[in-house]
C-alpha cells in the first residue's frame, strides 16, 4: 500500500500516543481499518526511543529497578516501569541488563553475551532480574528475541514468495545463494538472468523488504544497499510488501523502482523484441 505523507504522519501521530503494550495494535487497527495490521505494526515498531538512552536516564531507571525489585521481588517491576515511561519492554530489559552486566564486570558487555541472555534469561546470574527480563520480552509485540525470530521468518517467507512469483512467470534468476558462490558479498535477493520491463522501466534485480518503507529506513537502504546494487547490476526493483510513503518512489529515472507487491505488468525482453519486430513489419508494409 502506497501511503501519502499525510496518511503516514497521521498514523505516526497515533503511535506516539500509545503505550507499548499488546493492546496497542488493536487500537491502531480499529483507528485505521483500511490498513493491514502488518503495515501498522511495521510503522509502530519504528518509533524512536533515543531519549531513554541518555546515561543519566539509564542510571535513574536502573536505580529505581533495584529499589523496587528489592521491595517487591516477585512483582513485574521492569515491565511496569517500561509501561510507565513509555518504553518498549524488551528495550527496557536490554538497557537494565546492559547496566547490570557493566556493574558485574566493570566494562561494557559484548553484544553476543547481551543477546544470548536476552534470548535465554536463565543465563542471567541474578534470578530476579532474569524473571523481569523474561516478562518484558514475552510482553513486547515489536521488539525482543521472539519478535526478531518472527521478523526473520516473515522476511524469509516473502523471499520465497518472490521466487515463486518469478517461477510462475517463467523468469530465470539467480538468488543470493547462487550469487555468493560466484563471489558476490553484497547482493539483492534475486538477479534476473534476462532483464524485464516494469511500468516502462528496465529491471535487472529485485529486492524484497517485508517492512514498511519510511524516510529513515529507505534512505539507509539506498545508501547501504540499493545504490550499490545499481552500480554493480544496473537498474532494479524494490518491493516493500507492507507499503511505503508514496513520494519515496522518486528514483525511477535513476534506476530504482518501488512497488508494494509483485508487479503484474512485467514485460519480458522477448515480448519487447516481438513488439519491436511487429512494428517494423507494419511500417514496411505501409503503401508508398
Amino acid at each position: 500500500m502506497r501511503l501519502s505523507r499525510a496518511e503516514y504522519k497521521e498514523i505516526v501521530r497515533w503511535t506516539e500516543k500509545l503505550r507499548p503494550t499488546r493492546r496497542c495494535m488493536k487500537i491502531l487497527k480499529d483507528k485505521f481499518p483500511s490498513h493491514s495490521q502488518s503495515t501498522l505494526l511495521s510503522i509502530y515498531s519504528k518509533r524512536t526511543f533515543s531519549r531513554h538512552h541518555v546515561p543519566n536516564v539509564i542510571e535513574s531507571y536502573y536505580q529505581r529497578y533495584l529499589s523496587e525489585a528489592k521491595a517487591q521481588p516477585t512483582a513485574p517491576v521492569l515491565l511496569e516501569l517500561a509501561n510507565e515511561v513509555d518504553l518498549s519492554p524488551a528495550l527496557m530489559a536490554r538497557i537494565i541488563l546492559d547496566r547490570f552486566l557493566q556493574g558485574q564486570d566493570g566494562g561494557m558487555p559484548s553484544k553476543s553475551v547481551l543477546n544470548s541472555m536476552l534470548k535465554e534469561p536463565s543465563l542471567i546470574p541474578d534470578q530476579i532480574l532474569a524473571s523481569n527480563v523474561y516478562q518484558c520480552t514475552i510482553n513486547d509485540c515489536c521488539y525482543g528475541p521472539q519478535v526478531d525470530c518472527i521478523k526473520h521468518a516473515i522476511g524469509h517467507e516473502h523471499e520465497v514468495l518472490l521466487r515463486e512469483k518469478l517461477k510462475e512467470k517463467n523468469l530465470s534468476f539467480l538468488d543470493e545463494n547462487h550469487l555468493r558462490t560466484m563471489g558476490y558479498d553484497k547482493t539483492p535477493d534475486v538477479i534476473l538472468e534476462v532483464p524485464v520491463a516494469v511500468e516502462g522501466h528496465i529491471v535487472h534485480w529485485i529486492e524484497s523488504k517485508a517492512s514498511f518503507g519510511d524516510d529513515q529506513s529507505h534512505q539507509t537502504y539506498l545508501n547501504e544497499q540499493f545504490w550499490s546494487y545499481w552500480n554493480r547490476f544496473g537498474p532494479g526493483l524494490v518491493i516493500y510488501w507492507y507499503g511505503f510513503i508514496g513520494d519515496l518512489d522518486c528514483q525511477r529515472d535513476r534506476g530504482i523502482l518501488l512497488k508494494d507487491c509483485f508487479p503484474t505488468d512485467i514485460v519480458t525482453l522477448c515480448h519487447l523484441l516481438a513488439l519491436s519486430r511487429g512494428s517494423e513489419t507494419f511500417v514496411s508494409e505501409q503503401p508508398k
Side-chain angles (χ1 to χ4, degrees):
M1 177 177 289
R2 298 171 68 111
L3 298 186
S4 69
R5 190 161 291 278
E7 288 177 302
Y8 171 70
K9 286 183 176 180
E10 177 67 6
I11 295 173
V12 169
R13 188 174 68 82
W14 268 85
T15 66
E16 291 171 348
K17 296 178 179 179
L18 299 175
R19 297 287 185 183
T21 64
R22 292 189 179 278
R23 189 169 176 272
C24 69
M25 292 314 304
K26 183 181 185 307
I27 296 172
L28 268 183
K29 183 60 180 172
D30 289 345
K31 177 64 180 176
F32 302 98
S34 62
H35 301 302
S36 74
Q37 183 152 323
S38 297
T39 296
L40 296 173
L41 178 58
S42 184
I43 294 173
Y44 181 83
S45 67
K46 294 180 180 182
R47 296 198 311 164
T48 60
F49 299 101
S50 56
R51 64 187 174 89
H52 298 282
H53 292 270
V54 180
N56 65 314
V57 173
I58 293 174
E59 188 61 27
S60 71
Y61 291 163
Y62 184 61
Q63 293 302 324
R64 182 170 168 187
Y65 160 74
L66 291 177
S67 174
E68 295 187 9
K70 184 177 180 179
Q72 306 176 75
T74 60
V77 172
L78 218 49
L79 181 60
E80 291 173 355
L81 177 58
N83 290 333
E84 180 185 323
V85 301
D86 194 22
L87 176 61
S88 151
L91 295 184
M92 175 63 82
R94 174 178 283 273
I95 287 173
I96 298 302
L97 178 57
D98 185 37
R99 174 62 183 81
F100 168 78
L101 293 174
Q102 288 179 43
Q104 290 272 297
D105 303 327
M108 296 295 291
S110 70
K111 189 174 181 181
S112 61
V113 168
L114 192 59
N115 287 339
S116 65
M117 288 184 175
L118 288 168
K119 289 178 183 176
E120 186 47 71
S122 63
L123 297 174
I124 300 171
D126 183 296
Q127 187 175 356
I128 295 175
L129 179 57
S131 175
N132 273 272
V133 167
Y134 175 72
Q135 290 165 351
C136 284
T137 56
I138 65 171
N139 282 285
D140 197 317
C141 62
C142 295
Y143 302 94
Q146 289 86 353
V147 175
D148 288 343
C149 288
I150 293 170
K151 287 180 178 178
H152 179 77
I154 291 173
H156 179 69
E157 286 176 5
H158 283 82
E159 290 172 12
V160 171
L161 175 62
L162 172 60
R163 292 195 291 268
E164 289 176 348
K165 293 288 187 181
L166 291 168
K167 289 174 183 176
E168 287 174 9
K169 295 286 186 180
N170 294 317
L171 297 173
S172 298
F173 62 89
L174 299 173
D175 63 19
E176 287 179 295
N177 294 327
H178 287 108
L179 293 166
R180 289 198 177 108
T181 61
M182 297 166 64
Y184 292 105
D185 55 346
K186 188 178 288 189
T187 67
D189 290 315
V190 299
I191 291 179
L192 301 172
E193 294 193 284
V194 179
V196 299
V198 176
E199 298 178 9
H201 297 270
I202 298 298
V203 169
H204 288 264
W205 52 267
I206 304 176
E207 177 74 3
S208 169
K209 294 296 183 188
S211 61
F212 181 85
D214 62 6
D215 294 282
Q216 184 175 354
S217 61
H218 183 63
Q219 190 59 50
T220 300
Y221 288 140
L222 279 171
N223 294 337
E224 297 181 1
Q225 295 181 350
F226 303 158
W227 289 128
S228 174
Y229 302 159
W230 182 88
N231 284 327
R232 284 189 176 186
F233 309 113
L237 165 67
V238 178
I239 301 177
Y240 282 112
W241 296 98
Y242 297 152
F244 58 91
I245 301 172
D247 59 20
L248 295 180
D249 189 18
C250 59
Q251 305 286 357
R252 291 187 168 209
D253 292 339
R254 297 183 63 189
I256 296 179
L257 175 69
L258 304 187
K259 296 281 288 182
D260 60 358
C261 61
F262 188 83
T264 57
D265 57 345
I266 289 178
V267 179
T268 63
L269 184 59
C270 294
H271 188 198
L272 288 172
L273 290 173
L275 289 175
S276 176
R277 286 170 182 161
S279 176
E280 289 173 1
T281 301
F282 175 76
V283 171
S284 65
E285 291 178 354
Q286 291 296 305
K288 298 181 179 179

